[in-house]
Amino acid sequence: MNKKVTKILNKKNKSKVICLTAYSKNVASILDKYCDLILVGDSLGSVLYNFKSTKEVTLDMMINHSKSVKQGVKKSLMVVDMPYNTYHNPKEALKNARLVIKKTKCDAIKLEGGRKIIPIVKTLIKNKIPVMGHLGILPQTDKKFTFKGRQIKEITNLLRDAKNLEEAGIFSVVLECVETTLAKKITKHLKIPTIGIGSSANCDGQVLVIDDLIGLNKSKFKFVKQYADVKKVINSAVKKYKFEVLKKQFPKFKHSFKNK
Ligand code: KIV
């Protein structure tokens, strides 16, 4: 098994798994120092391209951003989201996952869904492709983005899906907006780490979208915490640049070229 995958698995019940998304090299190289896992999420569709849904994200977009991210990743496990419409059946999923791995040199791929995708997960794992699961809110297919685990049926289904995915061989699972007690139950019942986003501190690790965390993207979601205001930093730098160009304070002699 991939050593980086084993490292994530070994964190269960020992230490929290630190995960963030990245869509480019410069950001990835900063995150790599602090993260165990860097996810090239298809959230890039809404964050970077203003798409209404992740359904519009293409395999080419994921591959291109992942190639950039790879340049900044040295030690973290790099996971790439398989976009909507690229894993309808085991054969298609294997072809597309192989392409993603070949082109991006990522360590693993992430798929959204429960029982329905088990044959796909099994095929990928049989072909030595490490798979991360994603349960709870499924942005690629859900119509309503409300938290999961309200009714008994939903709770039972999610618990069963998580167990089935674990038995199929996934090494970790993202729980998106899963009710606190249910997230605790799933985490306790699985041997693999659960990575929460909007699913409480009961999960084995946490993930956030980096643009939300640094205040570059204004998120409307309750589960996001903004740790910095990078928008403010860029604003003041660009304002100063404009002022200096207008006042002929930039560029100076030292920024220019001259024949001797
Ligand atoms: O697409 C994404 O960025 C994700 C994370 C938010 C878990 O799936």
Side-chain angles (χ1 to χ4, degrees), residues 51-77:
F51 291 164
K52 285 212 173 64
S53 127
T54 52
K55 276 194 168 83
E56 293 176 61
V57 175
T58 65
L59 201 61
D60 277 349
M61 289 166 97
M62 293 309 297
I63 289 172
N64 288 334
H65 282 280
S66 301
K67 277 181 174 172
S68 172
V69 167
K70 180 67 186 172
Q71 303 308 309
V73 177
K74 286 200 176 81
K75 66 163 225 346
S76 312
L77 181 86

Side-chain angles (χ1 to χ4, degrees), residues 156-169:
T156 322
N157 280 344
L158 265 171
L159 265 167
R160 195 174 52 186
D161 281 352
K163 205 65 204 159
N164 287 352
L165 282 168
E166 176 175 77
E167 282 162 7

Side-chain angles (χ1 to χ4, degrees), residues 21 23 39-44 54 81 110 112 134 174 176 197 207-209:
T21 66
Y23 313 128
L39 170 70
V40 187
D42 61 356
S43 53
L44 63 80
T54 52
D81 258 343
K110 176 163 83 62
E112 289 184 14
H134 185 141
V174 167
E176 181 160 350
I197 175 159
V207 61
L208 278 179
V209 166

Side-chain angles (χ1 to χ4, degrees), residues 1 5-12 171 191-193:
M1 193 185 279
V5 171
T6 311
K7 225 170 136 187
I8 301 287
L9 277 165
N10 287 344
K11 285 195 171 263
K12 181 85 182 180
F171 69 87
K191 292 182 199 80
I192 55 166

Side-chain angles (χ1 to χ4, degrees), residues 206-225:
Q206 296 294 324
V207 61
L208 278 179
V209 166
I210 185 61
D211 295 53
D212 296 344
L213 181 146
I214 60 173
L216 205 50
N217 184 52
K218 287 283 170 246
S219 171
K220 56 184 190 299
F221 298 118
K222 169 189 165 86
F223 55 80
V224 169
K225 181 172 175 188

